[in-house]
Amino acid sequence: MNTSSIMVLFQRHGLLLTLIGSLVIVAAAFAYEKITGLLPCHLCWLQRWVFIGFAALSLCGLALQRFRLVRWLLALVFALLILVGSGIALRHLYIKLNPQTVSCGMDVQTLLDFFPLWEAVSHMLIGSSDCAQAADFLGLPLPTWSLTGYLLLGSLAIYSLLSRKTQ
């Protein structure tokens, strides 16, 4: 397979690959949680939701990609999700490397039960000492893998949306 055929594959099937990749990552996160017995921290939950957002946007893109304006809007939303997800993953890595910067906090369910959604999310973004315990996979912290997934899958989706020829 040469470079041009790979680019055509990414152009034609980039959204499908992004959908499948996002769902596989979320499924792998839940499987890793069950296998290791580690409960996800606040930032882990938010990172999973970004991948779910990637999957939902990919489905919308697959359904509506024939409309040029919709492709541009979806590309913009993908770019925003890349920024949000990357910010969350970088915050998580910062906490892992500097655990003294956070204190104990409430678990996700308690936050959602007792606070309005926006306030609960803002508490989740601050992080807690649980976030410093982020597990490693193949020698790298899980937030590093999330960051890589956001950059690769998001870029693939944007490329697929914007390189598509108008019909």
Side-chain angles (χ1 to χ4, degrees):
M1 229 178 181
N2 61 19
T3 306
S4 66
S5 61
I6 292 172
M7 298 309 280
V8 169
L9 173 75
F10 287 163
Q11 179 182 350
R12 290 185 183 163
H13 303 294
L15 287 173
L16 181 61
L17 292 170
T18 301
L19 171 65
I20 292 168
S22 298
L23 294 176
V24 165
I25 288 170
V26 171
F30 280 110
Y32 190 78
E33 174 188 338
K34 295 300 178 198
I35 291 168
T36 63
L38 291 174
L39 295 176
C41 69
H42 304 149
L43 296 174
C44 291
W45 278 111
L46 292 174
Q47 290 172 80
R48 289 179 188 185
W49 278 106
V50 173
F51 281 116
I52 291 169
F54 273 25
L57 280 176
S58 296
L59 278 174
C60 290
L62 287 168
L64 303 171
Q65 65 185 341
R66 67 176 172 255
F67 302 108
R68 182 182 173 130
L69 179 62
V70 173
R71 287 197 317 267
W72 279 96
L73 289 172
L74 287 171
L76 177 64
V77 176
F78 265 111
L80 290 173
L81 265 183
I82 291 170
L83 289 174
V84 168
S86 296
I88 294 168
L90 289 170
R91 172 72 178 151
H92 200 170
L93 285 170
Y94 176 79
I95 291 171
K96 182 168 174 61
L97 296 172
N98 301 289
Q100 71 281 3
T101 61
V102 291
S103 61
C104 295
M106 292 181 257
D107 63 65
V108 174
Q109 189 61 49
T110 304
L111 284 171
L112 293 173
D113 286 345
F114 290 103
F115 292 100
L117 181 61
W118 182 249
E119 197 173 331
V121 170
S122 67
H123 280 285
M124 293 167 86
L125 286 171
I126 292 169
S128 70
S129 59
D130 292 344
C131 299
Q133 307 301 323
D136 293 344
F137 180 71
L138 298 177
L140 292 173
L142 290 179
T144 305
W145 290 106
S146 293
L147 180 61
T148 304
Y150 299 141
L151 296 174
L152 291 177
L153 292 176
S155 299
L156 176 60
I158 291 171
Y159 174 77
S160 179
L161 286 164
L162 298 183
S163 66
R164 191 167 162 82
K165 293 183 179 38
T166 306
Q167 298 177 358

